[in-house]
Amino acid sequence: MHIMEGYLPASHAIAWGAVSAPFVLYGAHRITKLVREKPEVKLLLGASGAFVFVLSALKIPSVTGSCSHPTGTGLSSVLFGPTVTAVLGTIVLLFQALLLAHGGITTLGANVFSMAIVGPFVAYFLYRSITKAGFGLSIAVFFAACLGDIATYVTTALQLSIAFPDPVGGVGGAAVKFLGIFAFTQIPLAISEGLLTVVVVNLLQKYSRKELSLLNILSPKAA
Amino acid sequence: MNKNVVMILAVVALAILPLVLHHGGDAEFSGADGQAEELITEIQPDYEPWFTAIWEPPSGEIESLLFALQAALGAGLVGFYFGRRSATPKNQEPDAHPLAAKHAQH
């Protein structure tokens, strides 16, 4: 889902940067507040950021015959909410842009929007609605992480089709083509991401109940 | 069998399955990002990237090194977290106890 350096017209690059910046700034504010109020969760916050680091480094083959990577943002979206995740995702995207020439500085705003904002918001919304509907934590986490991952890739495809409309089919025609590259490739990887996130949440339920109840993931009663 | 083990095996199977499906060498397994770049060039052949990466890994080897480093740093910290939490002495882990205490503080 990395839009490469220089591959968005300048006006688009600036617009996506302007859209993304408030989310990241608000997220940074949330992190400062969280660390002050619940210092016990600091290490878990670091580990959630680290989960994004691992998953987004794994380029996994897909059934379409190309490779892509999960995003890892579902875990921290469930634990800490989407704006905190926006900050964690931005850190990873910066690392990849500066050291790996993966993504870029000019395209950072657009990549942050897809991976660190849309994906996490979709994940958070699904997690909240599925648990509210009475389903278990594992089900909620699976769909949150899986569909948040897909949402990221759909967003990238749409961003590219707005920037590069098809000469014949327009934005819609380009969207079909870009979705063909990103969305189908992503389906098995999104399932993997959902499963891995559930594994981590299971381990947290076993070893980290205190943090989970501090973050209101487990009610003290259920814990 | 442990549920977590089953899920991890499913993830491994999902990663191996594409290699089996495309066993005849009919797939390059190139990156989706690169394919998107090709599609951009196809849609708008005259598009020139107006900015290039400040620094690029000098070779594929160095790039793999940095990707491995990224994964290792992440996995290291996740492992460290669970290592610490699971090493909590047993007497501090009885189910309701620490939570009940926490609750009482508020």
Side-chain angles (χ1 to χ4, degrees), chain A residues 143-183:
Chain A
F143 284 103
C146 176
L147 297 174
D149 178 314
I150 298 269
T152 291
Y153 281 79
V154 168
T155 305
T156 303
L158 295 179
Q159 287 170 321
L160 284 173
S161 48
I162 296 169
F164 300 97
D166 192 79
V168 186
V171 173
V176 172
K177 291 182 179 175
F178 284 112
L179 284 168
I181 291 177
F182 285 118

Side-chain angles (χ1 to χ4, degrees), chain A residues 1-2 4-8 50 53-54 56 61-63 65-67 96 99-101 165 192 202 207-208 211 213 223, chain B residues 4 7 14-15 18 22 29-30 32-33 35 37 43 47 49-51 55-56 66-67 70 74-75 81-82 85-86 99:
Chain A
M1 45 60 62
H2 294 90
M4 284 199 265
E5 188 75 284
Y7 270 88
L8 274 185
F53 243 73
V54 190
S56 60
S62 178
V63 284
S66 59
C67 288
Q96 294 188 317
L99 289 178
L100 292 158
S192 295
N202 283 346
Y207 297 117
S208 209
E211 281 86 350
S213 67
Chain B
N4 288 342
M7 285 191 280
L14 276 171
H22 296 279
F29 291 109
S30 61
D33 294 349
Q35 293 190 351
E37 186 191 358
I43 289 178
Y47 185 81
W50 54 282
F51 197 82
W55 186 80
E56 267 187 67
L66 291 168
F67 264 111
Q70 185 189 334
Y81 182 82
F82 282 110
R85 284 296 174 269
S86 62
L99 295 165

Side-chain angles (χ1 to χ4, degrees), chain A residues 95-178:
Chain A
F95 175 93
Q96 294 188 317
L98 294 175
L99 289 178
L100 292 158
H102 234 70
I105 297 301
T106 60
T107 52
L108 184 68
N111 289 332
V112 165
F113 187 74
S114 63
M115 184 176 124
I117 296 172
V118 174
F121 268 93
V122 168
Y124 182 71
F125 174 76
L126 285 170
Y127 161 71
R128 290 298 294 260
S129 358
I130 296 171
T131 45
K132 206 172 264 178
F135 291 94
L137 185 59
S138 298
I139 302 276
V141 167
F142 175 80
F143 284 103
C146 176
L147 297 174
D149 178 314
I150 298 269
T152 291
Y153 281 79
V154 168
T155 305
T156 303
L158 295 179
Q159 287 170 321
L160 284 173
S161 48
I162 296 169
F164 300 97
D166 192 79
V168 186
V171 173
V176 172
K177 291 182 179 175
F178 284 112

